[in-house]
Amino acid sequence: MASTPAIRTQFTQLLDVKTPVVAPPMAYASGGALAAEVSLAGGFGFIGAGYDTPEKLRRDLETARTILKVEPGSPLPIGVGFLGWILDKSEATSKELIALLFEYRVKAIWLAFGDNLTPWIQFVRELNQKSGGPPILIFIQICSLQEALTAINEWNADVVVVQGIEAGGHGASYGLPLLTLLPLILSNTPANGPVIIGAGGLADGSQVAALLTLGASGAVLGTRFLLSPESLYSEAQRKVLVEASSSRSVRTMAFDEARGTVGWPKGIDGRGIRNATVDDYDKGVDISVIRKNYEEASAKGDTDRIVVWAGVGVGSMKQVSPAKDIVRELHEECLSRLRNASNLGING
């Protein structure tokens, strides 16, 4: 991307990156390699800590440090994302996990899906004050205007991630479409407020450009980066994504019930590719049977039952590409669309 012009937004200035493309934290999907390759290509990548142990997160951070050729003690230009309800399960373990971010000097922390994020935000700010270095930026993911106002006015978030109902993985069943929710939040964000970026069903650079013209400063693409060899998805899972139509992306609690990951806040479910697990769940098959079938399928990597998270943009994604190539393609297409838009004539 060295020969391609950078795109200048509040987000790219804040993170010191060349393109407003973000690979989000995705549990069991975005590790150190994916986060590092996205950042190396000029975007900004996150590790999805999800259900990780401190040992697992440390390995991912070491992987990212190696790929980015960052010496110990130097800033690591990636972020790490956490699930609020998982953090609440063990204060000691969670504080150990967050402390690793300061040890490795990552640039950002992403917090989502918690009924009580305030203590964790305060903890990060306390560590920021003690560290003496550049503060770790706080990203807050929201799904409604009220959540956004809390993130802006009470938590003073550095970046607010506006998630539309089209997004793959977990999100709010009560959410609004991104193109409805984003302008609503932008119109309620003060001039000195946080950077606003959008997520949900995005597949290509033209959609990144669309969000920028709406007033967002960046775009988050999860499913698109699952289709990279650096993601933790298997080849079989990526094959499902390549072959899926957008109509197969459905909201459901089937996969969480099948896996036993059922501590999500009220109103949160997941969006993934419909398969036999969803069909059985919708038919009312006994949950013990669903869990047994899922466990057996997981051992075999059987994608007819295991989860393959995907947003509604999946139908536009037809090939597996290295993360760096995905970043470059998104950036170049976004630039092209922005240039075309600037040439539109206005009469009168």
Side-chain angles (χ1 to χ4, degrees):
M1 195 181 291
S3 61
T4 305
I7 298 174
R8 184 182 175 89
T9 71
Q10 285 182 304
F11 178 82
T12 62
Q13 291 177 277
L14 180 66
L15 275 299
D16 191 25
V17 295
K18 294 181 179 179
T19 189
V21 170
V22 181
M26 298 176 284
Y28 301 125
S30 57
L34 178 56
E37 290 292 349
V38 170
S39 291
L40 193 61
F44 194 79
F46 280 85
I47 293 171
Y51 311 89
D52 286 357
T53 62
E55 293 75 22
K56 170 64 167 60
L57 178 56
R58 182 181 291 277
R59 288 196 298 271
D60 273 326
L61 289 166
E62 285 290 347
T63 296
R65 178 186 275 175
T66 299
I67 291 171
L68 290 163
K69 299 179 180 178
V70 170
E71 294 295 325
S74 297
L76 187 59
I78 63 166
V80 179
F82 295 95
L83 302 171
W85 69 275
I86 295 291
L87 291 177
D88 290 340
K89 283 190 169 186
S90 172
E91 180 178 348
T93 299
S94 297
K95 286 187 173 180
E96 185 179 352
L97 285 163
I98 293 173
L100 282 172
L101 276 57
F102 289 85
E103 179 183 338
Y104 282 83
R105 298 189 63 190
V106 304
K107 275 196 171 182
I109 182 172
W110 177 311
L111 298 171
F113 306 123
D115 288 325
N116 189 25
L117 292 180
T118 300
W120 299 112
I121 294 169
Q122 291 174 341
F123 181 62
V124 172
R125 292 226 162 92
E126 289 170 6
L127 293 183
N128 271 336
Q129 290 179 348
K130 292 177 182 178
S131 72
I136 289 179
L137 300 170
I138 298 175
F139 285 53
I140 302 293
Q141 180 178 314
I142 61 85
C143 302
S144 71
L145 175 59
Q146 186 55 53
E147 292 170 8
L149 293 176
T150 299
I152 294 168
N153 299 322
E154 296 182 25
W155 294 335
N156 296 312
D158 297 297
V159 178
V160 172
V161 184
V162 179
Q163 186 195 49
I165 200 168
E166 306 94 332
H170 287 90
S173 59
Y174 53 82
L176 295 171
L178 180 58
L179 293 190
T180 300
L181 183 59
L182 179 61
L184 187 61
I185 289 170
L186 287 168
S187 67
N188 282 275
T189 301
N192 62 346
V195 170
I196 306 293
I197 63 176
L202 307 177
D204 57 40
S206 67
Q207 293 167 327
V208 176
L211 291 198
L212 297 184
T213 58
L214 276 175
S217 291
V220 181
L221 298 96
T223 309
R224 183 68 188 273
F225 284 106
L226 293 177
L227 279 167
S228 70
E230 294 90 352
S231 84
L232 301 180
Y233 263 24
S234 66
E235 289 187 17
Q237 287 174 303
R238 286 193 283 269
K239 184 173 184 290
V240 169
L241 292 174
V242 168
E243 295 177 351
S245 65
S246 290
S247 63
R248 290 187 61 203
S249 171
V250 297
R251 303 204 72 87
T252 180
M253 280 299 293
F255 297 116
D256 286 301
E257 292 287 354
R259 300 185 304 172
T261 51
V262 290
W264 297 91
K266 183 179 180 181
I268 302 301
D269 59 12
R271 180 183 285 281
I273 300 299
R274 174 178 285 277
N275 61 16
T277 295
V278 180
D279 291 340
D280 286 351
Y281 184 78
D282 289 350
K283 291 174 185 175
V285 173
D286 187 271
I287 193 62
S288 63
V289 174
I290 292 175
R291 287 177 178 169
K292 179 176 180 294
N293 289 340
Y294 192 92
E295 184 177 354
E296 293 174 352
S298 294
K300 297 183 292 185
D302 178 7
T303 54
D304 192 43
R305 286 199 175 273
I306 66 172
V307 64
V308 180
W309 299 120
V312 299
V314 67
S316 300
M317 305 174 197
K318 297 304 177 186
Q319 67 180 29
V320 175
S321 301
K324 64 180 181 180
D325 292 345
I326 294 173
V327 173
R328 182 175 63 249
E329 181 183 331
L330 291 169
H331 181 80
E332 290 177 352
E333 186 173 7
C334 179
L335 272 176
S336 175
R337 297 293 183 172
L338 291 173
R339 286 167 175 154
N340 288 344
S342 68
N343 291 328
L344 291 174
I346 300 176
N347 296 322

